[in-house]
């Protein structure tokens, strides 16, 4: 982009890949003012400049797109729009959509260049491949340029290396390597060179939780992704490969699991077949070899294949680390010593939650919270919300999240905030709760970044009688915003579920209008959570009140989304605070799917989960209930009662075990004159409570798929 005159960029696809492209584009365009983004289109809406003298703001595009009422642009609309541009145009296709790929020839014929990682354009029908090349420059003197380097090897220079070899007259004899960062990561941990390794199903689950696989791991394990890359390279090398069905591709999906209805079901059943993969690993180990998932193109023999192969431990493929790819080019020029390209396959950080955030550690606010919730829905995890009442419980929670490489939500209830201030402070006008919440917020802000994780700072249930507490905290938010440009708290919860629905929505909307200028999130509850918490007792309410209706969710969504995108809804599906005898609580997380479907239908959005949902009363729930709720769009799960008990157990067990050492300051079973300070020092026994609480938080992070998302 050295001496460009005027370049207009249209971006198709603004999900994970598109988001990262636009982040990079923002940096690039800051150095090239003659280049501009003029259109961003995703599956359900679009942003378009009114004229080519304008540009889409790359600092606010996400919220602008979320607020846009313009539907997604059709491919013909994009072509027509760009054809009227006064300068050169580029379409950046960040999708894997076959229809978009099929449109490339038309764009190229009209002089519009294409940049894309979309493998389907170059690995599907051979005629489409030929048409694309004929339409692009230099096949067509007037055609647009074509760049698809990242369709193979992500950021590695695989395609450009191969093209340079071909264009300079070298003869390609064979191409071999590990072409998938996912498969590399899996086999480097399942069958490491030093032996042993984990169970196959465990390693697949770890890879998914770490963001290496697609949401359904079968999309990686079927081998199709590697096969598409080989088709592209084989065609560039001169072979006329019709499609990925033209050569053998080994799938690692057991036949019995091919019909699983979801990725979660597949992962649940995969341990049944660990024995088969153990046999494969053991056979290789007997020969002092390791097994790897590779692809190879024998250009001379005109043979392409994808699957498992064994390699000597001294072979470069055997010694890969992490998610590295390695591709070896055997050519006439290089002889028996191949040209090797090796490096990160797909850049692991691209799929990490923090890569989406402008602030990677410490308390996050506004658009970063929005991005994190979107990412959670996309990747199928929810963030535990931990009720903290002291610096000790804050530390226990932060330690767990740091150790599990996970984001966390720290929240204070009205009672917990008062406790933070001190039980001796009067609270008749919520002054203790306000002061304690503000003090706790400043403490969390000062310490959170030390743990190198993103933290959402939240407050819990605020019933009608507690609204003065919320008012006081928002006064503090506005004062902090005036000085720092962001609110003190990331978000608050308003809980008027005991009131009439109309009053609930109307009052929540009033508070959201106050929060919106600060880009502060507001969580609201509709449908009562049973049980008792913080002085609000719903133990005797009618069970029907525990289940929210889809019509109410839509009414809330319609009202609040007109004000701000920064809100979430705690919908009732039988939730109850506290822990009860199994069978006494009837949760129905399947209702959440109906809520999402109803909002989608009424709004006409293409998003499957348009609503950020919250799971209250989570303590004591089964893992299956958590998983189903999360799959239906829950991004936050409250953990309270379980953690209160977990904190107690460490202290309880310490006191019981050390009873004879804490009955007096001096004198214990070791001697009448022995001091006991090291036993009764609060730093010792309080720490035991932190340890057991932290262990329970870690369990929640695993259960909610939050672990290893950073």
């Amino acid at each position: 982009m050295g001496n460009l005159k005027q370049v207009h960029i249209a971006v198709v696809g603004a999900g994970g890949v598109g988001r990262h492209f636009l982040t990079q584009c923002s940096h690039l365009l800051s150095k090239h003012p003659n280049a501009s983004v003029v259109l961003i289109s995703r599956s359900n809406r679009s942003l378009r400049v009114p004229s080519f003298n304008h540009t889409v703001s790359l600092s606010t595009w996400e919220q602008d797109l979320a607020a846009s009422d313009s539907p997604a642009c059709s491919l013909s609309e994009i072509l027509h729009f760009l054809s009227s541009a006064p300068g050169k145009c580029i379409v950046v296709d960040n999708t894997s959509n076959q229809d978009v790929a099929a449109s490339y020839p038309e764009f190229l014929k009209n002089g519009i260049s294409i940049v894309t990682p979309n493998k389907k354009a170059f690995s599907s029908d051979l005629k489409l491949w030929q048409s694309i090349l004929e339409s692009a420059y230099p096949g067509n003197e007037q055609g647009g340029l074509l760049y698809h380097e990242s369709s193979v090897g992500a950021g590695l220079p695989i395609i450009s290396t191969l093209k340079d070899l071909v264009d300079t007259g070298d003869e390609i004899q064979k191409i071999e390597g590990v072409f998938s960062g996912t498969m590399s990561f899996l086999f480097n941990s399942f069958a490491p060179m030093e032996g042993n390794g984990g169970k196959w199903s465990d390693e697949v689950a770890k890879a998914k939780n770490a963001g290496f696989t697609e949401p359904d791991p079968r999309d990686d394990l079927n081998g199709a992704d590697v096969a598409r890359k080989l088709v592209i390279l084989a065609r560039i090398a001169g072979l006329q490969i019709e499609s990925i069905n033209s050569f053998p591709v080994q799938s690692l999906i057991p036949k019995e699991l091919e019909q699983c209805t979801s990725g979660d079901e597949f992962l649940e059943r995969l341990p049944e077949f660990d024995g088969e993969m153990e046999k494969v690993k053991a056979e290789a180990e007997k020969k002092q070899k390791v097994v790897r998932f590779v692809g190879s193109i024998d250009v001379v023999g005109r043979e392409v294949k994808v699957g498992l192969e064994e390699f000597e431990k001294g072979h470069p493929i055997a010694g890969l680390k992490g998610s590295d790819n390695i591709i070896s080019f055997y050519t006439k020029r290089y002889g028996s010593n191949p040209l090797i390209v090796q490096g990160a396959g797909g850049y692991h950080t691209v799929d990490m939650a923090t890569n989406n955030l402008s602030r990677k550690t410490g308390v996050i606010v506004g658009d970063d919270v929005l991005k994190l919730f979107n990412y959670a829905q996309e990747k199928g995890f929810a963030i535990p919300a931990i009720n903290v009442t002291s610096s000790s419980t804050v530390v226990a929670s932060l330690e767990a999240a740091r150790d599990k490489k996970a984001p966390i939500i720290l929240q204070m209830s009205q009672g917990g905030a008062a406790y933070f201030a001190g039980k001796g402070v009067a609270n008749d006008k919520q002054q203790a709760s306000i002061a304690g919440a503000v003090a706790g917020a400043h403490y969390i802000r000062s310490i959170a970044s030390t743990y190198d994780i993103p933290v959402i700072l939240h407050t819990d249930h605020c019933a009608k009688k507690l609204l003065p507490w919320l008012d006081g905290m928002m006064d503090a938010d506005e004062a902090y915003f005036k000085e720092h440009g962001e609110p003190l708290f990331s978000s608050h919860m308003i809980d008027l579920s005991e009131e009439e629905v109309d009053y609930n929505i109307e009052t929540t909307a009033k508070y959201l209008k106050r929060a919106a200028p600060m880009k502060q999130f507001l969580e609201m509850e509709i449908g009562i959570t049973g049980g008792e918490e913080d002085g609000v007792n719903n133990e005797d309410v009618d069970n029907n009140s525990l289940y929210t209706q889809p019509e109410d969710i839509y009414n809330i969504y319609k009202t609040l989304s007109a004000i701000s995108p920064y809100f979430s809804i705690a919908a009732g599906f039988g939730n109850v605070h506290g822990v009860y005898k199994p069978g006494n609580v009837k949760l129905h997380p399947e209702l959440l799917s109906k809520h999402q479907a109803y909002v989608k239908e009424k709004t006409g959005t293409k998003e499957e989960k348009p609503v950020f949902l919250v799971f209250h009363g989570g303590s004591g729930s089964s893992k299956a209930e958590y998983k189903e709720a999360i799959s239906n769009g829950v991004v936050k799960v409250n953990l309270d009662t379980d953690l209160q008990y977990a904190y107690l157990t460490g202290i309880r067990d310490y006191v019981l075990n050390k009873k004879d050492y804490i009955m007096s300051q001096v004198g214990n079973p070791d001697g009448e004159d022995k001091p006991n300070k090291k036993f009764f020092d609060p730093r010792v026994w309080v720490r035991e409570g932190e340890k057991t609480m932290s262990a329970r938080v870690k369990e929640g992070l695993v259960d909610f798929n939050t672990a290893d998302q950073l």
Side-chain angles (χ1 to χ4, degrees):
M1 296 178 71
N3 296 316
L4 51 82
K5 291 183 178 179
Q6 199 171 12
V7 176
H8 307 291
I9 303 170
V11 180
V12 180
V17 175
R19 187 181 300 115
H20 291 287
F21 166 74
L22 286 164
T23 299
Q24 295 174 348
C25 196
S26 177
H27 176 73
L28 181 64
L29 266 55
S30 67
K31 300 180 179 179
H32 299 282
N34 291 329
S36 61
V37 174
V38 295
L39 180 146
I40 300 176
S41 184
R42 63 184 307 172
S43 60
N44 60 342
R45 52 175 65 98
S46 63
L47 276 178
R48 188 192 307 188
V49 295
S51 74
F52 288 101
N53 294 324
H54 296 77
T55 182
V56 171
S57 170
L58 294 183
S59 61
T60 62
W61 73 267
E62 285 195 83
Q63 52 266 46
D64 293 342
L65 184 60
S68 173
D69 56 5
S70 299
C73 293
S74 68
L75 295 169
S76 59
E77 287 175 327
I78 297 174
L79 177 59
H80 178 75
F81 173 64
L82 295 179
S83 296
S84 63
K88 296 290 186 181
C89 293
I90 302 172
V91 169
V92 180
D93 173 22
N94 297 306
T95 76
S96 59
N97 187 287
Q98 184 67 54
D99 292 336
V100 179
S103 71
Y104 289 178
E106 285 303 310
F107 283 100
L108 293 165
K109 287 175 187 175
N110 282 272
I112 299 169
S113 298
I114 299 287
V115 176
T116 183
N118 189 344
K119 289 183 279 291
K120 292 181 180 177
F122 313 101
S123 63
S124 55
D125 183 61
L126 180 60
K127 291 181 180 178
L128 174 60
W129 160 270
Q130 294 168 337
S131 177
I132 290 172
L133 294 187
E134 290 168 1
S135 303
Y137 181 87
N140 173 8
E141 287 290 333
Q142 305 302 316
L145 300 173
L146 175 66
Y147 291 94
H148 63 107
E149 182 72 68
S150 55
S151 63
V152 178
L156 296 178
I158 305 302
I159 289 177
S160 56
T161 297
L162 178 57
K163 283 184 175 180
D164 285 346
L165 291 171
V166 173
D167 291 345
T168 56
D170 201 354
E171 294 179 18
I172 310 300
Q173 297 170 341
K174 183 180 179 181
I175 304 171
E176 179 184 58
V178 174
F179 292 85
S180 165
T182 300
M183 291 301 197
S184 180
F185 178 83
L186 276 174
F187 281 92
N188 291 339
S189 54
F190 169 67
M193 282 207 301
E194 60 272 19
N196 296 320
K199 293 182 180 178
W200 176 247
S201 59
D202 288 344
E203 299 306 329
V204 173
K206 287 178 185 176
K208 180 180 184 296
N209 289 336
F212 281 108
T213 75
E214 295 296 326
D216 187 336
R218 288 175 294 180
D219 292 337
D220 295 288
L221 299 179
N222 62 14
D225 180 66
V226 174
R228 290 190 186 97
K229 296 171 183 176
L230 292 192
V231 169
I232 295 170
L233 296 181
R235 287 173 175 175
I236 295 173
L239 298 183
Q240 300 294 298
I241 304 295
E242 286 290 337
S243 72
I244 64 173
N245 299 318
S246 303
F247 52 88
V249 178
Q250 182 178 2
S251 171
L252 300 185
I253 304 171
K255 289 186 182 295
E256 296 87 342
L257 302 187
E258 289 177 352
Q259 303 305 316
C260 287
T261 57
S262 69
D264 286 341
E265 182 188 350
F266 170 75
L267 287 174
E268 286 177 8
R269 293 194 56 196
L270 189 58
E272 301 170 22
F273 302 90
D274 280 343
E276 297 179 13
M277 290 300 292
E278 282 297 324
K279 289 179 183 177
V280 171
K281 178 166 66 174
E283 285 298 317
E285 288 178 345
K286 286 179 184 177
K287 306 170 192 173
Q288 297 298 305
K289 295 182 177 182
V290 293
V291 64
R292 296 289 184 263
F293 193 85
V294 300
S296 63
I297 304 167
D298 182 351
V299 180
V300 177
R302 309 182 69 80
E303 181 182 5
V304 182
K305 61 180 179 177
V306 175
L308 295 174
E309 290 191 28
E310 296 176 350
F311 291 89
E312 300 285 350
K313 292 185 178 181
H315 195 285
I317 286 179
L320 283 180
K321 301 295 183 183
S323 61
D324 275 9
N325 284 182
I326 183 170
I327 292 86
S328 301
F329 296 97
Y330 294 84
T331 73
K332 183 177 181 180
R333 184 181 298 156
Y334 282 88
S336 60
N337 188 24
L339 172 62
I340 295 177
V341 178
Q342 180 178 343
Y347 300 119
H348 183 40
T349 55
V350 166
D351 279 335
M352 293 293 97
T354 46
N355 207 59
N356 296 308
L357 307 181
S358 61
R359 182 179 297 166
K360 312 297 184 185
T361 65
V363 172
I364 63 172
V365 296
D367 291 328
D368 277 342
V369 178
L370 183 69
K371 292 173 185 176
L372 184 56
F373 282 174
N374 276 320
Y375 186 83
Q377 283 193 338
E378 178 188 342
K379 295 298 181 182
F381 70 89
I383 308 167
I386 314 302
N387 278 68
V388 294
T389 56
S390 64
S391 61
S392 177
T393 52
V394 168
V395 165
S397 305
L398 291 174
E399 280 189 1
R402 178 201 60 197
D403 294 348
K404 284 297 182 181
K405 300 178 182 177
I408 196 79
I409 298 173
L410 300 183
Q411 62 186 26
M412 284 175 278
S413 66
Q414 181 262 355
Y419 187 85
F420 223 110
K423 294 294 285 185
V425 179
N427 204 28
D428 55 308
K429 296 180 181 178
Q430 301 300 322
Q431 61 267 45
S433 292
I434 294 169
V438 171
H442 281 290
Y443 169 70
I444 291 169
R445 275 186 169 272
S446 68
I447 201 69
S449 59
T450 306
Y451 289 82
D452 293 326
I453 57 169
V455 176
I456 295 175
L457 180 51
H458 182 64
T459 61
D460 205 6
H461 296 270
C462 180
K464 182 179 180 180
K465 65 182 181 181
L466 304 179
L467 287 177
W469 173 50
L470 180 56
D471 291 330
M473 290 188 294
M474 294 192 77
D475 288 342
D477 284 318
E478 288 165 342
Y480 195 88
F481 181 82
K482 187 175 181 180
E483 184 176 353
H484 301 282
E486 63 183 55
L488 178 61
F489 292 88
S490 313
S491 55
H492 295 293
M493 180 189 181
I494 182 168
D495 178 5
L496 303 176
S497 56
E498 292 183 301
E499 314 304 324
E500 293 294 328
V501 172
D502 289 345
Y503 174 82
N504 186 350
I505 298 175
E506 178 185 334
T507 306
T508 299
K510 182 184 75 172
Y511 278 96
L512 186 60
K513 287 177 182 176
R514 184 177 178 184
M518 299 181 286
K519 293 187 176 180
Q520 186 178 52
F521 257 79
L522 196 62
E523 176 189 330
M524 69 92 67
E525 181 161 349
I526 184 76
I528 294 173
T529 299
E532 189 275 336
E533 182 176 58
D534 243 18
V536 178
N537 195 321
N538 292 323
E539 290 178 315
D540 298 320
V541 299
D542 181 357
N543 277 349
N544 291 329
S545 301
L546 305 180
Y547 302 98
T548 306
Q549 300 305 307
E551 293 80 6
D552 289 335
I553 298 295
Y554 169 62
N555 195 12
I556 295 165
Y557 183 87
K558 179 177 66 173
T559 302
L560 299 187
S561 62
I563 301 169
S564 165
Y566 309 108
F567 68 91
S568 58
I569 303 174
F573 53 98
N575 318 61
V576 176
H577 289 303
V579 178
Y580 297 84
K581 183 179 179 181
N584 285 4
V585 177
K586 303 293 184 183
L587 285 179
H588 290 282
E590 73 278 2
L591 295 177
L592 302 180
S593 176
K594 295 179 181 179
H595 298 335
Q596 299 280 19
Y598 190 79
V599 173
K600 178 184 177 183
E601 176 190 350
K602 297 296 287 186
T603 60
T605 180
K606 293 184 179 180
E607 294 181 18
E608 293 298 322
K609 303 167 190 173
V611 186
F612 295 135
L613 294 172
V614 177
F615 188 157
H616 279 269
S619 292
S621 301
S622 70
K623 292 181 181 181
E625 289 167 337
Y626 285 137
K627 285 186 176 181
E628 185 170 5
I630 292 168
S631 71
N632 291 328
V634 164
V635 296
K636 170 180 178 274
V637 180
N638 279 20
L639 273 183
D640 185 19
T641 307
D642 284 1
L643 297 180
Q644 290 173 339
Y645 185 72
Y647 190 84
L648 165 69
T649 57
I651 298 173
R652 178 201 65 194
D653 293 347
Y654 178 84
V655 169
L656 292 175
N657 290 333
K658 302 295 183 182
K659 175 178 175 294
D660 294 334
Y661 292 83
I662 59 174
M663 299 305 291
S664 61
Q665 292 191 55
V666 178
N668 60 49
D670 298 331
E672 293 181 0
D673 59 346
K674 295 292 184 181
N676 292 321
K677 180 176 175 11
K678 66 180 180 181
F679 299 107
F680 62 71
D681 186 333
R683 290 173 296 179
V684 177
W685 51 268
V686 169
R687 180 58 182 161
E688 294 304 312
E690 292 173 0
K691 290 177 182 177
T692 47
M693 177 179 170
S694 188
R696 181 61 183 87
V697 174
K698 290 178 182 178
E699 184 181 333
L701 291 167
V702 173
D703 289 345
F704 308 155
N705 296 328
T706 332
D708 296 317
Q709 293 293 345
L710 302 182

